[in-house]
């Protein structure tokens, strides 16, 4: 599978903890876009697509959620629930984000600006793109 869990700095303080991310030294790309998912209704999912060139880091800033990754041959589900850990997702990975806990917030750091042409929304098209389906 093409993903990595990265540990971000966690600076503990009696007044509250602090975690940060820096491009290139911690996040393996220049950050060109950041967005966050929140108030996801119970039972709903996000994602359901792949990217051709975009890399992402997902962080559970609050609460928890599952990320299911699929490379066209195998699937794996990862639980994100620590705000000092980031899930690096490489291009060419189908992703589904679900099982959001109440109050969860998913931060997404992206290597590229939004580009509709970079998305693959149909799973069969994804399998063809990966060479797994003729």
């Amino acid at each position: 599978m093409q993903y990595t869990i990265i540990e971000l700095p966690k600076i503990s303080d009696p007044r509250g903890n602090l975690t940060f991310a820096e491009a290139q030294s911690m996040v393996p790309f220049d950050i060109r876009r950041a967005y966050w998912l929140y108030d996801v209704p119970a039972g709903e999912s996000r994602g359901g697509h792949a990217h051709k060139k975009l890399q992402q880091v997902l962080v559970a800033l609050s609460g928890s959620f599952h990320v299911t990754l699929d490379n066209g041959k195998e699937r794996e589900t990862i639980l994100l629930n620590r705000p000092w850990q980031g899930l690096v997702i490489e291009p060419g990975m189908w992703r589904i984000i679900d099982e959001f806990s109440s109050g969860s917030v998913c931060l997404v750091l992206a290597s590229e600006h939004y580009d509709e042409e970079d998305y693959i929304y149909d799973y069969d098209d994804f399998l063809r793109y990966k060479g797994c389906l003729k």
Side-chain angles (χ1 to χ4, degrees):
M1 292 296 252
Q2 297 169 288
Y3 77 88
T4 307
I5 299 285
I6 57 173
E7 296 285 325
L8 299 169
K10 179 182 177 185
I11 300 169
S12 297
D13 187 293
R15 301 168 296 165
N17 299 329
L18 181 139
T19 293
F20 60 94
E22 295 178 348
Q24 297 297 332
S25 63
M26 294 169 210
V27 173
F29 51 79
D30 287 331
I31 301 165
R32 291 198 171 79
R33 183 167 53 115
Y35 60 93
W36 40 101
L37 306 170
Y38 58 96
D39 292 341
V40 178
E44 290 296 323
S45 67
R46 300 295 308 232
H49 63 265
H51 291 280
K52 298 172 190 171
K53 64 180 181 177
L54 180 117
Q55 294 175 277
Q56 294 178 315
V57 172
L58 278 60
V59 179
L61 292 182
S62 179
S64 65
F65 48 87
H66 288 107
V67 182
T68 300
L69 298 176
D70 180 334
N71 65 8
K73 296 179 180 163
E74 57 185 337
R75 279 186 180 194
E76 188 168 341
T77 299
I78 300 102
L79 170 66
L80 290 181
N81 62 356
R82 294 182 174 97
W84 64 89
Q85 289 184 331
L87 173 64
V88 180
I89 304 174
E90 298 296 331
M93 293 288 286
W94 189 265
R95 80 278 326 270
I96 297 170
I97 310 167
D98 60 9
E99 302 287 329
F100 289 87
S101 67
S102 178
S104 62
V105 178
C106 172
L107 171 67
V108 182
L109 304 175
S111 66
E112 308 295 330
H113 295 286
Y114 176 79
D115 177 6
E116 179 68 27
E117 296 297 314
D118 186 56
Y119 285 74
I120 304 170
Y121 288 112
D122 182 81
Y123 189 71
D124 285 343
D125 290 345
F126 166 71
L127 292 176
R128 280 189 277 282
Y129 177 78
K130 296 292 285 187
C132 301
L133 188 67
K134 301 290 179 196

